[in-house]
Amino acid sequence: MTIRRLPETLVNQIAAGEVVERPAAAVKELVENALDAGARQIDVVLREGGRSFISVTDDGCGMVPEEIELAVERHATSKLPDDDLVHIETLGFRGEALPSIGAVSRLSVTSRAQGSPDAWRLTVEGGLTSSLEPAAAGPGTRIEVRDLFYATPARLKFLKAPRTELSHTEDAMKRLAMAHAEVGFTLSEESRRVLMVTPAQGELFEARLQRLSAIMGREFAENALPIDAEREGLRLTGYIGLPTLNRGNAQQQYLFVNGRPVRDKLLFGAIRGAYQDFLARDRHPLVALFLEVPPDAVDINVHPAKAEVRFRDPGLVRGLIVSAARHALAQAGHRASTSVADAALGALRPETQPQRPVYHWDSSGRITVPRGMAESTAAYHAPLPGVGDAPPTARPGWGEGQAPPNLSRQVPQEDAADDYPLGAARAQVHTTYVVSQTQDGIVIVDQHAAHERLVYETMKAQLDAQGVERQLLLLPEVVELDEASAARLLTRTEELAELGLVIEPFGTGALVVREVPALLGDSDVHGLLQDIADELAELGDALALKERLEAICSSMACHGSVRAGRRLNVEEMNALLRKMEATPHSGQCNHGRPTYVELKLADIERLFGRR
Ligand SMILES: Nc1ncnc2c1ncn2[C@@H]1O[C@H](COP(=O)(O)OP(=O)(O)OP(=O)(O)O)[C@@H](O)[C@H]1O
Ligand SMILES: [Mg+2]
C-alpha cells in the first residue's frame, strides 16, 4: 500500500463529515459566523428542510474581497489574531466551517464590508472555487448553500424528512437566540415563518427573560426563578423553573457557556442533582442557565460541533450550579407548593380569586406554629416511631394489621390540636386522604406523599449524623436481578451500607440482602434493589456521592412509605400531621406533588354561598 497525501477537496469533505452533520449544523455554523461578525439581525431561509437551499443573511461587519477569498479556504480565520487557542472569545476559531460546507454543496458568499460601497460574490462548488465577481447587496453578508451533500451521496441518504430537519434547525437557532437576546432572528421554510424574535430591550435580566419568554413560552417566564451567583471568577445567571412546572424529558433544559449553547453531561447532572429532592426521576425541570467563565477555565476545542466543553475545574462548576439552584428553590419551596393549592382552590370556586393558605414557613422550609401555642407537641404524639417524637431511627410502624378495624369513628370535637397549622385529624377518607380540622379551615393530606417525604427527610438527617440505622433480616433475602443491575449495585456496596442496605454477591445476577434500613420496615426488597440499580444506571458518575446517596434515599423512602389504601387510626393521623409541621419541605413530596391542600372556612362558606 502506498501512503499519499489526500487532495484538499477530499480533506475538506472529511472535515465536513464532522462539522456539517445535517442542515441544522450548517445553519448553526453560519449563524455563529454572523454573530461573530456583530450582526443585529440574522435571517435564515430553508427549502426542503435545508436540503436544497439554505440562506443566512446578516447585517454584520461584512468582508472585503480579499477576505471573502480567504474565508472559504481551509484553516483561514480572523478569530485567532494572536494564535492563542486558550483565550477564545468568539464562537468560531477553527477556520473550517465555510470550506467544509463548500466541499459538500454549492456555496455562495456575498458580502459587503461596512463602509464599503461594493458587494462581492464568490462561489464554491464541490470544493472548487470560482473567481470573485461584483454583486448587488447591502452591508453585511449573505451565505447561500444549495444542494447540501450533493457531493457526498452517502451523507445525503441519512437526511430525514424535511420536517424533521427543519425542527433540528429550529432548535439550533432557538438556542443561539436565547444566548443573544440583543439580536433579532427569523427562520422561514419556503415562505412560512417558523421563528421570529425581535431584539430584546432593557438590562441583562429583563432582556433575557423577554427572549426566554418568546422562545420557551410565557408559562416558563411566569414560573421561573432568577439565578445570579458567582464563585471564584465564574458567574451563573439565568432562570430555573419551579419544580411543579416539569416535563417528561430534558429537552427544555438550555445551557450556555460563554454564550455558546452546549449539551454537557456535567451540567445536566448538576441540574438533576439540584432538583432531585423535588422531582420524580422521570420528570425534568425547565431551565435556561448561562455560565460565564474566564476563557482559560474552559476548553471548547473538544467537540467537532463545539457542543461539548471541558472545564478546568468541573467540581467548581457543578457546585456553583447545584448550590445556586438549591438556594433559589429553597426560597421558593413554599411558592411551589402553594401554587398547586391555589390551583385546587381556584378549581373549587372559579368565580373568585384564589387565596394563598396562611401558613408560615421559616427559612428551612419548616411550618411555624402560631404564636402562643405550646412548643411541645407531646400531648399529641402518637407512639409511632418514625412519625412521632420517638427516635427517628426506629421503625415507622405502619405495619398491616396495626390499624384499628374501624377508622371512621368520631373524634372528640374539643381536640385542641386544631390550633396547629395542619389541625386535628378528623377522618381518613378512601383510605388515602387524611382530613383534618384547623382553626379556620380544613386540610386534606395525601398520606402516601406526606409519609414518603417524612421518611426521606429522616433518612437524610440520619445520613448526615451517624449513618442510617440498619435492621438485620432474620432470613437473608436472595434477590435475582439482571447481570448489569447486580454488578452496578455491587460496585456501590460501601455506599449502600452507609444507607443501611447490606448486600453481598450471590452468583451471576443475584445478590443476597442481609440488612435493610430500619426505617423501611417490611418493604419489597426486590423492588427496592431494582429501583436503586435503575437509579444508579441513570445517574452514572455524574452526581457527587452525597447527591447519589440522596437520590437512593428518595427511592427507598418511596418503598418504605405508608401506601395509599392503608387504614390509619386517629393517633397515627395526628402523628403524621405533627411530624409534617416539624419537617422541612413537607409541603411537597419527592416527586414535586403537593402533600396537602388547605381550604379556609371562608372559602368553603363562599362555595356554599354563605358569604
Ligand atoms: N457572516 C460573516 N460575516 C463576516 N465575516 C465572516 C462571516 N462568515 C465568515 N466570515 C469570515 O470568514 C472566516 C472563516 O469562517 P469559518 O466559519 O469558516 O471559520 P471560523 O468562523 O473562523 O471558525 P470555525 O470553523 O470554528 O467556525 C471567519 O473567521 C470570518 O473572518
Ligand atoms: Mg465559523
Side-chain angles (χ1 to χ4, degrees):
M1 249 192 293
T2 356
I3 299 183
R4 65 177 184 119
R5 286 184 201 285
L6 295 176
E8 171 103 354
T9 317
L10 205 55
V11 171
N12 282 336
Q13 285 184 358
I14 292 169
E18 293 197 315
V19 180
V20 201
E21 189 203 352
R22 61 189 338 152
V27 172
K28 172 183 169 287
E29 290 294 338
L30 299 175
V31 171
E32 285 184 351
N33 280 348
L35 288 167
D36 281 344
R40 281 290 165 270
Q41 180 64 41
I42 301 172
D43 301 300
V44 179
V45 178
L46 305 184
R47 264 181 240 139
E48 287 184 75
R51 173 196 291 238
S52 61
F53 180 81
I54 297 171
S55 79
V56 177
T57 309
D58 70 60
D59 59 356
C61 64
M63 289 176 272
V64 297
E66 306 76 65
E67 288 175 323
I68 302 178
E69 281 181 316
L70 266 180
V72 298
E73 272 184 35
R74 194 165 165 74
H75 302 315
T77 178
S78 59
K79 301 173 190 176
L80 292 177
D82 310 318
D83 294 345
D84 182 356
L85 254 187
V86 176
H87 292 93
I88 296 172
E89 295 190 357
T90 45
L91 295 167
F93 57 88
R94 291 178 185 161
E96 282 201 321
L98 288 180
S100 298
I101 296 171
V104 295
S105 71
R106 302 179 218 277
L107 171 77
S108 90
V109 180
T110 308
S111 194
R112 178 171 147 192
Q114 293 288 349
S116 151
D118 309 309
W120 295 84
R121 173 178 300 131
L122 189 74
T123 54
V124 185
E125 287 206 8
L128 298 175
T129 310
S130 71
S131 49
L132 272 167
E133 53 188 60
T141 303
R142 177 181 171 85
I143 310 277
E144 291 182 356
V145 180
R146 284 167 215 276
D147 305 322
L148 186 63
F149 300 136
Y150 90 97
T152 47
R155 180 54 64 92
L156 192 58
K157 271 197 224 142
F158 282 97
L159 285 190
K160 300 274 188 297
R163 190 156 7 110
T164 313
E165 295 299 339
L166 171 66
S167 74
H168 283 287
T169 298
E170 191 185 345
D171 185 59
M173 276 190 70
K174 279 182 172 174
R175 287 173 193 270
L176 286 166
M178 283 183 197
H180 300 273
E182 72 291 352
V183 180
F185 293 85
T186 64
L187 168 64
S188 315
E189 153 84 42
E190 308 282 348
S191 52
R192 190 169 67 87
R193 256 293 129 81
V194 180
L195 176 75
M196 181 171 96
V197 283
T198 51
Q201 310 292 329
E203 52 82 46
L204 177 74
F205 272 81
E206 196 185 327
R208 197 175 266 161
L209 193 60
Q210 212 178 322
R211 176 58 56 91
L212 293 178
S213 174
I215 290 177
M216 295 174 75
R218 266 203 14 233
E219 198 187 20
F220 175 71
E222 284 166 5
N223 286 283
L225 311 167
I227 298 278
D228 189 0
E230 208 164 350
R231 192 183 284 182
E232 292 177 40
L234 273 60
R235 178 149 188 235
L236 183 71
T237 56
Y239 289 87
I240 64 171
L242 288 170
T244 38
L245 180 73
N246 54 58
R247 296 274 186 280
N249 58 44
Q251 267 166 20
Q252 296 264 32
Q253 295 182 359
Y254 298 98
L255 303 166
F256 306 84
V257 176
N258 293 351
R260 186 187 300 279
V262 295
R263 295 169 201 270
D264 187 280
K265 266 199 179 153
L266 171 93
L267 301 179
F268 285 126
I271 291 172
R272 192 181 185 74
Y275 275 83
Q276 72 176 18
D277 259 20
F278 304 103
L279 284 175
R281 205 176 5 185
D282 58 349
R283 303 305 298 175
H284 303 267
L286 284 67
V287 307
L289 285 175
F290 303 83
L291 186 66
E292 299 295 330
V293 303
D296 60 354
V298 61
D299 188 356
I300 47 178
N301 192 18
V302 294
H303 186 269
K306 306 172 190 131
E308 287 169 21
V309 294
R310 192 170 295 149
F311 294 103
R312 206 179 50 199
D313 186 350
L316 178 65
V317 175
R318 191 170 195 290
L320 176 65
I321 295 178
V322 173
S323 67
R326 287 206 166 166
H327 181 71
L329 287 170
Q331 292 200 319
H334 172 193
R335 195 178 141 199
S337 50
T338 56
S339 66
V340 180
D342 280 356
L345 279 170
L348 276 174
R349 26 179 206 86
E351 74 286 6
T352 51
Q353 277 299 306
Q355 280 175 9
R356 288 189 182 282
V358 295
Y359 299 158
H360 302 286
W361 276 256
D362 66 16
S363 58
S364 66
R366 216 174 288 266
I367 302 171
T368 55
V369 177
R371 242 200 315 185
M373 269 175 53
E375 268 303 288
S376 161
T377 57
Y380 309 100
H381 277 148
L384 277 184
V387 181
D389 210 17
T393 49
R395 295 185 47 183
W398 293 105
E400 288 291 355
Q402 287 186 339
N406 175 14
L407 282 152
S408 50
R409 75 191 159 104
Q410 199 65 41
V411 180
Q413 285 300 308
E414 44 294 317
D415 192 335
D418 66 4
D419 286 345
Y420 285 98
L422 294 180
R426 289 282 177 249
Q428 184 192 30
V429 293
H430 294 286
T431 51
T432 303
Y433 303 102
V434 173
V435 180
S436 73
Q437 175 176 329
T438 62
Q439 229 167 13
D440 57 352
I442 63 172
V443 166
I444 306 169
V445 176
D446 175 335
Q447 67 188 42
H448 173 67
H451 193 243
E452 178 179 313
R453 187 75 203 179
L454 298 181
V455 171
Y456 175 63
E457 293 290 341
T458 312
M459 281 189 92
K460 262 200 329 190
Q462 289 184 4
L463 197 60
D464 287 342
Q466 77 283 17
V468 173
E469 189 91 355
R470 302 175 197 162
Q471 174 200 332
L472 199 68
L473 291 181
L474 286 180
L475 291 174
E477 194 163 332
V478 176
V479 175
E480 305 259 358
L481 298 164
D482 59 289
E483 235 170 279
S485 295
R488 214 170 282 127
L489 288 168
L490 285 169
T491 57
R492 302 264 178 233
T493 309
E494 270 175 41
E495 275 169 50
L496 293 174
E498 208 177 313
L499 289 165
L501 193 64
V502 177
I503 56 169
E504 284 167 21
F506 194 79
T508 328
L511 301 167
V512 67
V513 181
R514 300 208 175 272
E515 294 175 57
V516 296
L519 266 171
L520 296 195
D522 308 318
S523 49
D524 157 26
V525 176
H526 181 271
L528 173 65
L529 285 179
Q530 187 63 62
D531 274 9
I532 296 175
D534 292 347
E535 187 87 51
L536 288 172
E538 200 168 312
L539 299 179
D541 292 323
L543 288 189
L545 174 66
K546 180 164 187 311
E547 274 133 347
R548 206 158 51 218
L549 293 179
E550 288 183 358
I552 297 171
C553 274
S554 175
S555 287
M556 288 191 181
C558 191
H559 278 268
S561 301
V562 53
R563 295 275 159 200
R566 175 83 56 85
R567 286 184 182 279
L568 303 180
N569 64 30
V570 169
E571 286 73 33
E572 286 172 318
M573 290 191 263
N574 274 322
L576 183 66
L577 298 175
R578 299 294 80 79
K579 182 79 179 176
M580 283 173 74
E581 285 158 1
T583 305
H585 309 300
S586 63
Q588 59 183 354
C589 77
N590 305 352
H591 309 290
R593 294 189 303 268
T595 53
Y596 70 91
V597 171
E598 187 192 28
L599 301 177
K600 290 287 174 204
L601 214 48
D603 295 323
I604 299 169
E605 284 171 354
R606 243 179 248 122
L607 265 181
F608 289 99
R610 280 165 165 267
R611 278 191 181 218

